[in-house]
């Protein structure tokens, strides 16, 4: 503000000075000069600073042609004479020079056309928008500006995009008959890319258009790719397949095989057949007369049966035809009640180039809140590609097609793009108006993009909710495809976490599928936690046999079995569901919720067990101090003798596996990380015969130093070591020293089989030959792969050894540039 005041004050001071100077020079003679500029250079600067891609020219010219047609249609509402109902369309024709060194593109419309004066005004003035003038005039006459059709142009610069690809441009145009122009004549505007001037003259060809405009682009040498019809089709599909309300036709040529009518052979008649037909013996004549009423039987030989007319000779002819490029209507502009499922699917396949059937869709319209109205269709694809999961950091969506008045603007929402969990969705959004920059390639304001992100996510969740509530069978299919997506979304999206987590499904110890709400409906009286057990990579039925759920399962408690990496991350983030916290049953501190209801004698039994096994607990704490931090009596085991669980702040076995799978560095967390790695507790089952036997052996150990039996103690330590390492394995952890573990197991097995523990194994082996640094010759080398055929065509192929050919079958399919399979059609 201070700077603005300074500038204003300075401006006032300068004006005052100039006023004084003007007063001082009031009597002097003044000569006024126009600013001089290099128009051609200025035009190049404007064009090249606006458009980032050459291909934009075709979008701009098709948009201009659409505006010309729309203006004619609107004008005809008040002036019936300008249009007699003839077809309104846009045509595009690419013509290659005979020498093959150049060519031109001709874009024609049957729209409003321009008089010589309008050619001068609209094309000869930079940033002069005929559409803006037309709209201003229409609004000035009291017409509703919002009902002026699909008029796109606003800046008056679209025509100049022609010079991105053309050295020279000619525009032939003629307006319709009207009171203002009773006898229109066709005129031509002509200009080159480097010219600072333009020409307008009567078209020497006469009135060949009837009405409308024809733009001819004489292409530059670096733009000849646009002469290919496939390239034009691609650009129209990308930018303008829905921008025009009128048909857009492309001139194409194709080769057909047709019968050659100029080379038809006369049917040949053999001499014997001719004689038989023309010569009649007297006997035959008499016979005919006598047997006149008898049926005539002809003998047919095998040769005559097999004889077929020879196939006609064919010739190749070139067929000219006009192909409509925008035959697919913009169905988002129609009422959803009048659109069939087949139409929605067909549009999805064509527009997004995904030829699988969409799972569901949502057709809606709305207002962004700041006056921007829009229509949209949101699709749920029928599958999530493997690429989505293989690239965890690639979250940029490529299938949010933002359009303005049916003209494609962008697929890049920039910083306001959808989060990773929602980036797979396919949406077309068509806004009535947006604050675009002059090139129409980007938005000047990001406000709508911020709102659009929230709108799309909101509608997605509404669609999932509708399927969930109205079609359980359909939702089962949805959950099969998007189950992991719901979990990822609940982790990433704090705002919609509860809504997405409600869609998640899990296998439990009691059923194959349950939601968090369904789990709470099944919880036991007094249960204050949601029990779960996680181990990625395991099958649910295997996880259900875990030692951690023995007592829970035996007592009838339901435990969620989590087998995906996202599961534990999800529970770690949401922590509770409807005020009920999650409890990892692989961690210490397991509570069932009915401990307060225990009878007095049960409490006394627990106290008695603690006193009875105290010698074993103390001895195990010493022996297992390197593996665990504490040893306690377990309340979760039924059959297993012992288990190792993580403390409240420690890492479970599943978390450690996830860290290893993600290549996490072992010391990335410093002291806290080391503490979490070692924070384990050994729980023993006092009812296990093995634990009871171990207790007796510990109690039998001599307490006096001079009475100790070192051999017995060492044997007992060995048994305890195997027990602890076995508990680590059964609990999912890694054994610190697997070689030492298996060596101890080997010794125990030897003792049980009566084999000497010290009996050596025969370790004699054949030694290697002496050192030979000489390299083998080519004849002595083993072939890395079988040799190629002598007549190798150089093409890619799969080479299979002879001994494997009968066991290996390979099928290959051709794909196009978009990685879609190419379907081979049989010729008819």
């Amino acid at each position: 503000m201070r700077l603005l005041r300074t500038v204003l004050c300075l401006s006032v001071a300068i004006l005052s000075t100039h006023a004084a100077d003007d007063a001082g020079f009031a009597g002097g003679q003044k000569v006024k000069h126009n600013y001089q500029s290099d128009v051609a250079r200025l035009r190049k600067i404007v064009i090249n600073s606006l458009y980032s891609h050459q291909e934009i020219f075709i979008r701009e010219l098709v948009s201009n042609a659409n505006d010309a047609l729309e203006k004619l249609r609107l004008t005809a509402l008040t002036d019936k004479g300008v249009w007699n109902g003839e077809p309104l369309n846009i045509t595009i024709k690419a013509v290659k020079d005979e020498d093959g060194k150049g060519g031109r593109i001709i874009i024609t419309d049957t729209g409003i056309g321009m008089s010589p004066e309008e050619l001068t005004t609209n094309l000869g003035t930079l940033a002069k928008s005929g559409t803006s003038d037309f709209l201003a005039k229409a609004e000035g006459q009291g017409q509703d500006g919002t009902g002026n059709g699909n008029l796109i142009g606003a800046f008056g610069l679209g025509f100049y995009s022609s010079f991105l690809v053309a050295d020279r441009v000619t525009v032939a145009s003629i307006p319709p008959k009207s009171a203002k122009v009773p006898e229109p004549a066709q005129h031509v505007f002509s200009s080159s890319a480097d010219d600072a001037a333009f020409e307008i003259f009567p078209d020497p060809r006469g009135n060949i258009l009837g009405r409308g405009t024809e733009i001819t682009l004489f292409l530059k040498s670096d733009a000849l790719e646009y002469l290919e019809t496939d390239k034009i089709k691609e650009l129209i599909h990308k930018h303008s397949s829905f921008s025009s309300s009128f048909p857009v036709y492309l001139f194409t040529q194709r080769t057909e095989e047709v019968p050659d009518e100029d080379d038809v052979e006369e049917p040949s008649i053999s001499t014997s057949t001719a004689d038989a037909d023309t010569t009649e013996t007297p006997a035959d004549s008499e016979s005919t007369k006598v047997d006149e009423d008898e049926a005539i039987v002809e003998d047919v030989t095998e040769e005559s049966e097999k004889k077929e007319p020879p196939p006609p000779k064919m010739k190749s002819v070139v067929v000219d035809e006009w192909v409509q490029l925008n035959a697919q209507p913009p169905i988002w502009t129609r009422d959803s009640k009048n659109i069939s499922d087949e139409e929605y699917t067909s549009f999805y396949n064509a527009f997004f180039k995904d030829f699988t059937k969409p799972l569901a869709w949502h057709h809606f319209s709305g207002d962004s809140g700041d006056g921007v109205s829009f229509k949209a269709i949101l699709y749920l694809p029928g599958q999530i590609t493997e690429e989505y999961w293989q690239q965890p950091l690639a979250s940029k969506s490529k299938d949010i097609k933002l359009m303005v008045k049916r003209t494609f603007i962008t697929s890049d929402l920039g910083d306001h793009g959808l989060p990773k969990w929602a980036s797979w969705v396919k949406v077309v959004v068509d806004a009535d108006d947006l604050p675009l920059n002059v090139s129409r390639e980007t938005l000047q304001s990001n406000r709508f993009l911020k709102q659009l992100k929230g709108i799309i996510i909101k509608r997605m969740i509404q669609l999932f909710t509708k399927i969930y509530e109205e079609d359980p069978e359909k939702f089962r299919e949805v959950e099969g495809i998007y189950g992991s997506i719901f979990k990822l979304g609940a982790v990433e999206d704090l705002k919609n976490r509860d809504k997405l987590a409600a869609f998640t499904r899990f296998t439990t110890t009691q059923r194959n599928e349950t939601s968090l709400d369904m789990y709470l409906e099944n919880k036991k009286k007094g249960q204050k936690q949601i029990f779960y057990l996680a181990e990625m990579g395991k099958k649910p039925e295997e996880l259900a046999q875990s030692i951690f759920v023995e007592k829970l399962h035996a007592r009838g408690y339901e435990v969620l079995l989590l087998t995906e990496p996202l599961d534990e991350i999800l529970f770690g983030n949401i922590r509770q569901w409807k005020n009920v916290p999650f409890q990892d049953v692989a961690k210490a501190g397991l509570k069932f919720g009915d401990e307060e209801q225990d009878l007095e004698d049960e409490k006394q039994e627990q106290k008695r067990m603690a006193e009875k096994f105290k010698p074993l607990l103390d001895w195990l704490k010493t022996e297992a101090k390197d593996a665990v931090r504490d040893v306690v009596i377990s309340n979760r085991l039924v059959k297993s003798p012992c288990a190792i669980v993580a403390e409240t702040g420690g890492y479970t076995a599943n978390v450690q596996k996830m860290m290893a799978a993600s290549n996490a560095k072992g010391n990335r967390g410093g002291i806290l990380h080391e503490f979490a790695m070692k924070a384990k507790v050994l729980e023993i089952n006092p009812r296990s015969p093995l634990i009871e036997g171990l207790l007796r052996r510990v109690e039998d150990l001599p307490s006096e130093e001079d009475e100790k039996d070192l051999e017995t103690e060492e044997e007992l330590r060995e048994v305890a070591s195997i027990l602890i390492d076995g508990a680590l394995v059964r609990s999912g952890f890694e054994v610190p020293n697997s070689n030492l573990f298996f060596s101890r197991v080997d010794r125990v097995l030897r003792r049980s089989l009566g084999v000497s523990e010290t009996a050596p194994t025969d370790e004699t082996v054949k030694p290697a030959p002496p050192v030979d640094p000489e390299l083998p010759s080519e004849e002595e080398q083993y072939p890395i792969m079988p040799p190629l055929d002598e007549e190798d065509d150089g093409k890619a192929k799969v080479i299979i050894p002879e001994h494997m050919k009968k066991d290996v079958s390979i099928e290959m399919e051709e794909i196009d540039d978009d990685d879609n399979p190419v379907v081979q059609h049989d010729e008819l």
Side-chain angles (χ1 to χ4, degrees):
M1 183 61 71
R2 185 175 299 170
L3 177 62
L4 180 60
R5 290 175 181 171
T6 305
V7 172
L8 289 174
C9 294
L10 183 60
S11 301
V12 171
I14 293 173
L15 289 174
S16 301
T17 305
H18 283 178
D21 291 345
D22 288 345
F25 294 104
Q29 186 177 1
K30 300 177 182 178
V31 180
K32 191 173 184 178
H33 298 275
N34 292 327
Y35 286 106
Q36 301 299 310
S37 64
D38 185 341
V39 177
R41 181 173 175 79
L42 177 61
R43 184 174 59 190
K44 282 185 176 180
I45 293 173
V46 170
I47 294 168
N48 292 318
S49 63
L50 289 180
Y51 303 109
S52 56
H53 299 94
Q54 259 190 346
E55 64 187 39
I56 295 300
F57 81 96
I58 203 161
R59 182 196 70 184
E60 297 298 305
L61 297 182
V62 170
S63 297
N64 287 349
N66 174 81
D67 285 356
L69 295 166
E70 196 69 38
K71 290 174 192 175
L72 178 67
R73 186 182 67 81
L74 294 173
T75 303
L77 297 176
T78 55
D79 187 354
K80 305 293 184 183
V82 299
W83 180 37
N84 58 5
E86 295 175 351
L88 301 179
N89 55 54
I90 303 168
T91 62
I92 305 172
K93 185 175 183 180
V95 181
K96 297 180 180 179
D97 292 348
E98 293 182 359
D99 58 6
K101 296 182 178 180
R104 60 192 187 278
I105 294 178
I106 304 170
I107 301 177
T108 308
D109 67 73
T110 56
I112 194 70
M114 289 177 281
S115 64
E117 294 76 20
E118 289 171 326
L119 285 171
T120 303
T121 303
N122 295 337
L123 305 185
T125 307
L126 282 174
K128 178 65 176 178
S129 173
T131 298
S132 295
D133 290 348
F134 180 85
L135 288 174
K137 189 181 296 183
E139 292 173 0
Q141 293 174 355
Q143 297 180 13
D144 183 6
T146 61
N148 287 324
N150 185 34
L151 290 168
I152 303 169
F155 299 103
L157 290 166
F159 166 73
Y160 295 99
S161 65
S162 306
F163 293 104
L164 290 168
V165 296
D167 288 318
R168 184 164 62 91
V169 179
T170 62
V171 181
S173 189
I174 180 172
K177 290 183 180 181
S178 62
K180 185 178 179 181
V181 187
E183 295 295 333
Q186 186 167 312
H187 283 71
V188 177
F189 167 98
S190 178
S191 179
S192 296
D194 298 325
D195 286 349
F198 58 88
E199 297 176 332
I200 293 181
F201 52 86
D203 195 332
R205 302 172 297 174
N207 179 11
I208 62 170
L209 297 176
R211 182 195 66 247
T213 302
E214 174 194 82
I215 300 178
T216 304
L217 311 178
F218 296 86
L219 298 182
K220 300 176 181 178
S221 58
D222 63 346
L224 298 182
E225 61 176 312
Y226 301 111
L227 291 173
E228 303 298 330
T229 55
D230 288 342
K231 183 65 175 179
I232 297 176
K233 287 179 183 178
E234 176 191 339
L235 297 183
I236 292 294
H237 175 82
K238 179 179 179 181
H239 296 289
S240 306
S241 55
F242 302 102
S243 65
S244 177
S245 309
F246 309 95
V248 179
Y249 295 100
L250 174 65
F251 179 79
T252 62
Q253 292 181 319
R254 56 185 174 83
T255 303
E256 272 189 5
E257 294 291 324
V258 299
D260 188 355
E261 297 178 356
D262 298 332
D263 190 17
V264 179
E265 294 183 359
E266 293 293 333
S268 59
I269 304 175
S270 64
T271 306
S272 59
T273 306
D275 292 343
D277 292 341
T278 57
T279 306
E280 185 177 346
T281 62
D284 292 337
S285 177
E286 187 66 25
S287 173
T288 303
K289 291 178 182 179
V290 174
D291 300 331
E292 185 174 316
D293 297 330
E294 292 185 10
I296 300 174
V297 180
E298 295 180 358
D299 293 333
V300 181
T301 64
E302 288 187 13
E303 291 184 1
S304 63
E305 282 183 341
K306 295 181 179 179
K307 190 173 183 181
E308 295 180 357
K313 290 189 176 182
M314 308 295 285
K315 65 177 180 179
S316 298
V317 297
V318 177
V319 180
D320 298 342
E321 63 179 349
W322 291 92
V323 178
Q324 186 174 350
L325 300 182
N326 60 342
Q328 182 75 30
I331 65 172
W332 62 81
T333 62
R334 296 162 52 191
D335 188 345
S336 59
K337 297 177 182 178
N338 301 324
I339 307 175
S340 66
D341 291 352
E342 290 74 17
E343 288 180 291
Y344 277 117
T345 300
S346 176
F347 170 77
Y348 172 83
N349 296 150
F351 189 74
F352 293 105
K353 293 185 178 180
D354 184 351
F355 298 100
T356 59
K357 185 177 180 181
L359 193 61
W361 53 82
H362 184 27
H363 189 169
F364 61 96
S365 59
D367 192 304
S368 66
D370 57 354
V372 178
S373 301
F374 64 89
K375 294 180 176 66
I377 303 180
L378 180 150
Y379 283 96
L380 302 181
Q383 62 182 9
I384 300 294
T385 62
E386 286 297 325
E387 181 183 3
Y388 176 86
W389 297 109
Q390 291 171 358
Q391 299 179 1
L393 299 179
S395 60
K396 186 176 180 180
S397 174
K398 300 178 182 178
D399 291 313
I400 307 297
K401 308 294 185 182
L402 179 60
M403 312 182 87
V404 174
K405 293 183 178 179
R406 299 190 299 233
T407 298
F408 174 72
I409 300 301
T410 185
S411 290
D412 184 6
L413 302 184
D415 295 335
H416 306 295
L418 297 179
K420 171 69 177 180
W421 77 267
S423 61
W424 45 265
V425 73
K426 300 180 187 293
V427 188
V428 53
V429 180
D430 185 12
D432 291 341
D433 192 18
L434 281 178
L436 303 175
N437 69 357
V438 182
S439 70
R440 292 193 282 183
E441 293 181 76
T442 55
L443 293 172
Q444 290 180 335
S445 172
N446 288 328
R447 183 177 180 184
F448 180 73
L449 292 183
K450 295 178 183 178
Q451 296 168 329
L452 183 60
K453 172 183 175 181
I455 290 169
I456 291 174
I457 292 177
K458 178 181 177 182
R459 296 291 182 166
M460 282 176 59
I461 295 176
Q462 286 179 354
L463 180 55
F464 285 128
T465 303
K466 181 181 178 181
I467 299 173
Y468 174 76
E469 294 175 350
E470 299 179 3
D471 193 345
E473 287 298 322
K474 181 76 170 180
F475 187 79
R476 187 169 286 106
E477 184 181 357
V478 169
E479 201 277 331
I481 298 173
Y482 295 100
S484 297
I485 296 293
F486 295 147
K487 296 170 185 176
L488 179 61
V491 171
E492 287 187 348
D493 195 335
L494 295 177
K495 181 179 179 181
N496 298 294
R497 171 168 289 174
D498 290 347
K499 296 176 182 178
L500 291 168
F503 296 140
T504 56
R505 294 289 183 273
F506 305 94
T507 302
T508 74
T509 51
Q510 297 181 2
R511 44 188 164 175
N512 292 329
E513 181 182 287
T514 186
S515 66
L516 295 176
D517 287 336
M518 294 164 61
Y519 180 94
L520 292 181
E521 292 173 0
N522 193 46
K523 74 181 182 66
K524 303 299 182 181
K525 182 179 179 180
Q527 181 181 342
K528 299 177 182 179
Q529 303 104 330
I530 298 175
F531 298 120
Y532 76 90
L533 176 63
E535 186 166 353
M536 66 175 187
K538 272 199 174 182
K539 295 180 180 179
E541 52 269 25
E542 294 175 356
L543 199 54
Q545 304 300 319
S546 171
I547 58 176
F548 296 120
V549 299
E550 282 184 357
K551 195 168 185 178
L552 288 161
H553 182 60
R555 294 194 62 190
Y557 286 91
E558 189 172 20
V559 181
L560 300 177
L561 304 175
L562 312 184
T563 58
E564 296 182 13
L566 272 173
D567 293 336
E568 186 152 349
I569 297 174
L570 168 65
F571 285 7
N573 277 268
I574 62 178
R575 296 183 179 274
Q576 62 180 12
W577 183 251
K578 295 187 176 179
N579 298 322
V580 181
F582 293 101
Q583 169 68 58
D584 187 345
V585 299
K587 284 196 171 185
L590 177 65
K591 299 291 183 181
F592 295 92
D594 62 346
E595 285 79 8
E596 296 179 358
Q597 301 175 10
D598 289 347
L599 299 177
E600 186 63 29
D601 55 348
E602 291 180 352
K603 294 180 180 179
Q604 290 297 327
E605 176 67 14
Q606 293 172 3
K607 184 177 180 181
R608 188 183 67 81
M609 286 287 184
E611 293 176 356
K612 175 183 177 181
F613 284 89
K614 187 176 186 304
L616 177 59
L617 295 176
D618 293 340
W619 185 79
L620 285 175
K621 287 178 184 178
T622 303
E623 298 300 322
K625 61 183 178 181
D626 293 334
V628 298
R629 292 168 53 84
D630 198 6
V631 183
V632 298
I633 292 178
S634 177
N635 68 335
R636 79 182 72 224
L637 299 176
V638 177
K639 295 183 296 183
S640 301
C642 58
I644 292 182
V645 299
E647 290 186 299
T648 303
Y651 295 148
T652 63
N654 189 54
V655 171
Q656 290 188 16
K657 288 179 181 178
M658 291 171 61
M659 294 172 62
S662 62
N663 297 320
K665 294 183 179 180
N667 199 30
R668 65 175 183 175
I671 297 176
L672 292 178
H673 173 76
E674 291 295 329
F675 171 81
M677 291 289 291
K678 296 179 179 179
K680 302 181 185 71
V681 175
L682 173 63
E683 294 187 358
I684 61 173
N685 181 5
R687 294 179 177 83
S688 170
L690 180 61
I691 296 300
E692 289 180 346
L694 188 59
L695 172 63
R696 289 193 297 269
R697 293 290 300 275
V698 169
E699 289 177 334
D700 291 342
L701 289 175
S703 57
E704 300 296 332
E705 186 70 27
D706 55 350
E707 297 180 358
K708 285 187 176 181
D709 186 345
L710 298 180
E711 184 178 348
T712 302
E713 288 188 10
E714 181 61 29
E715 182 180 333
L716 195 57
R717 288 194 186 96
E718 193 170 62
V719 171
S721 174
I722 294 174
L723 187 69
I724 295 167
D725 285 347
L728 284 169
V729 173
R730 296 190 67 181
S731 302
F733 294 98
E734 291 186 0
V735 177
N737 190 331
S738 59
N739 289 327
L740 181 59
F741 170 63
F742 286 110
S743 295
R744 288 168 174 167
V745 171
D746 180 66
R747 287 198 297 271
V748 171
L749 290 175
R750 283 181 176 228
R751 284 199 299 267
S752 67
L753 296 174
V755 178
S756 171
E757 297 179 26
T758 59
T761 303
D762 185 3
E763 300 178 358
T764 58
V765 294
K766 180 181 177 181
V771 174
D772 181 10
E774 185 177 352
L775 297 177
S777 63
E778 293 184 3
E779 293 78 9
E780 295 174 334
Q781 287 183 349
Y782 287 105
I784 298 176
M785 50 188 304
L788 298 174
D789 298 334
E790 293 183 1
E791 297 181 359
D792 182 22
D793 56 6
K795 296 182 179 179
K797 56 175 65 71
V798 178
I799 301 174
I800 304 173
E802 286 294 333
H803 69 281
M804 294 178 61
K805 287 184 177 180
K806 63 179 181 179
D807 301 322
V808 176
S809 175
I810 297 178
E811 295 182 2
M812 303 181 70
E813 67 176 7
E814 184 181 357
I815 60 173
D816 59 19
D817 293 338
D818 297 319
D819 293 336
N820 296 317
V822 176
V823 180
Q824 301 293 342
H825 298 281
D826 295 334
E827 295 183 359
L828 301 178

